[in-house]
Amino acid sequence: MMGVLEAKVSGHEYFLVASSGGEKTDPWIREKHLNGISYHQGAWETVNPTLPTGHSNWWTVRHETVDLDPNIARVTKPCAAIKLLLGLGDKRLEWKSVEYLRMSEMVYVGPEADSAGMRQWHGKGATNSWTAHSCNRCEARIPYLICDVPANRIVD
């Protein structure tokens, strides 16, 4: 899975890309998908933040520390969306105004993906890409990462 995030915060634009894979996928993303894009060519930055273990010490896009609900199961292979939101938070931006924040994920599959359960919403094509959903574990985290921190979750 690959995701992109485009944001304009306090007058500055940010273009981030992430993969649900690890550091080994960075050259693949850059060579196969970003180098040929004319839209803001050369401005795309790959992010791959280290995720906190468990439910403590996560951070929002505003880099505010937040604890997740302890009932959310551990993420072992985070979706691109989680990496993008944490990557934006890592920038420690000054959030005076937000003109836009756009994000999209796509999944790239081949014939072997049938056994991986990746075709539940899609057809039987050999190699293709589709707009994708984050997995349930990552989707449970996204509201914590994009919203103001609820008072009962703020970490001192």
Side-chain angles (χ1 to χ4, degrees):
M1 181 181 293
M2 184 176 106
V4 293
L5 181 148
E6 175 184 14
K8 189 168 186 180
V9 180
S10 299
H12 299 283
E13 291 183 304
Y14 301 91
F15 305 95
L16 307 180
V17 62
S19 166
S20 58
E23 293 175 11
K24 295 178 183 178
T25 59
D26 179 38
W28 173 80
I29 290 172
R30 201 157 290 288
E31 292 167 16
K32 298 287 184 184
H33 299 286
L34 293 181
N35 285 347
I37 295 175
S38 59
Y39 182 72
H40 295 284
Q41 192 164 18
W44 295 93
E45 175 187 350
T46 304
V47 293
N48 189 25
T50 302
L51 272 65
T53 57
H55 67 278
S56 299
N57 298 314
W58 287 71
W59 60 93
T60 70
V61 291
R62 292 179 179 247
H63 207 270
E64 297 168 324
T65 304
V66 62
D67 281 353
L68 306 179
D69 185 324
N71 295 319
I72 297 175
R74 184 173 180 213
V75 171
T76 54
K77 187 177 179 187
C79 294
I82 296 296
K83 291 182 176 183
L84 290 168
L85 295 171
L86 292 175
L88 187 63
D90 263 350
K91 295 191 168 299
R92 293 173 169 82
L93 305 177
E94 190 173 331
W95 289 75
K96 291 181 181 177
S97 66
V98 178
E99 189 170 325
Y100 58 81
L101 195 154
R102 305 174 185 124
M103 190 167 64
S104 179
E105 291 178 291
M106 296 194 83
V107 63
Y108 293 83
V109 298
E112 71 283 355
D114 282 330
S115 62
M118 296 179 80
R119 296 192 183 274
Q120 57 185 326
W121 300 293
H122 312 295
K124 300 289 183 185
T127 302
N128 211 332
S129 64
W130 300 290
T131 299
H133 295 275
S134 293
C135 68
N136 290 340
R137 289 178 176 178
C138 288
E139 279 188 1
R141 286 166 168 73
I142 290 173
Y144 290 92
L145 307 182
I146 62 174
C147 298
D148 288 338
V149 180
N152 64 338
R153 294 289 178 200
I154 294 176
V155 177
D156 292 328

